[in-house]
Amino acid sequence: MNAYETINDILVHLFNEIWELEEKAIITEEFKDISNNDMHIIEAVGLGSDSTMSMVARKLGITAGSLTTSVNSLVNKKYLVRERSESDRRVVYVRLTEKGRKAFFHHKDYHMQMTDAVVKSLDADEIPVLLKTLNSLSEFFRGYETKK
């Protein structure tokens, strides 16, 4: 296999492996009542207190309506709380509960371990090459929809 074919093979399999392994790693006995998608909603809500449904939906690239069903479930499971703005009742804030914060840090720790596994295998002069490569890949994905 030449370098081009090898890179293609790695990229195709890497995305699937990351998704599958992440789910196995982060959906532990403690967090068995939520999905990988739920964990990413928790991540998008973050640690602040000013996340609105609209802001979270934008971060995730989905509609607020699509987000509502998942947020309802996470509220029922006590990972999130929902509060209406006092000044504008149309605005709905979501924030993590203590249980949600534990899930957030659990997920963040997995990502840190994943990043550490990559970075520790590189020399200092290789890190800029990896950053350039990953930025190029990220730009491709961000621009892909606009090319259609």
Side-chain angles (χ1 to χ4, degrees):
M1 208 181 312
N2 66 34
Y4 185 88
E5 291 168 336
T6 302
I7 291 168
N8 180 64
D9 187 62
I10 290 170
L11 289 175
V12 168
H13 291 94
L14 185 61
F15 294 117
N16 291 330
E17 289 171 4
I18 288 171
W19 189 254
E20 289 173 18
L21 291 174
E22 181 180 46
E23 188 161 10
K24 289 176 186 172
I26 64 175
I27 306 304
T28 60
E29 186 63 27
E30 183 176 8
F31 303 112
K32 67 182 177 189
D33 60 338
I34 59 174
S35 68
N36 210 13
N37 285 335
D38 290 336
M39 195 64 91
H40 288 108
I41 291 169
I42 290 168
E43 178 185 42
V45 169
L47 298 175
S49 59
D50 61 347
S51 291
T52 65
M53 290 285 286
S54 299
M55 290 167 56
V56 173
R58 236 183 338 270
K59 279 184 193 176
L60 295 169
I62 61 174
T63 66
S66 297
L67 179 63
T68 299
T69 304
S70 295
V71 166
N72 288 343
S73 174
L74 288 167
V75 167
N76 289 336
K77 294 173 185 175
K78 311 258 188 274
Y79 286 91
L80 299 177
V81 291
R82 181 186 289 130
E83 298 171 345
R84 290 215 175 263
S85 168
E86 295 293 325
S87 58
D88 184 347
R89 302 295 290 163
R90 297 171 297 175
V91 176
V92 178
Y93 292 100
V94 286
R95 65 179 169 79
L96 301 178
T97 62
E98 187 57 37
K99 185 177 180 181
R101 290 173 63 83
K102 282 181 75 176
F104 175 90
F105 284 115
H106 176 67
H107 187 223
K108 182 178 179 179
D109 182 58
Y110 171 76
H111 282 251
M112 291 296 294
Q113 289 177 44
M114 182 175 60
T115 303
D116 287 345
V118 172
V119 172
K120 77 178 184 183
S121 70
L122 300 174
D123 296 328
D125 60 330
E126 294 173 313
I127 292 175
V129 176
L130 177 61
L131 287 171
K132 182 179 178 182
T133 303
L134 293 175
N135 277 324
S136 294
L137 189 58
S138 182
E139 286 175 19
F140 167 78
F141 286 125
R142 286 188 195 120
Y144 189 76
E145 281 299 314
T146 59
K147 291 179 184 177
K148 286 185 171 182

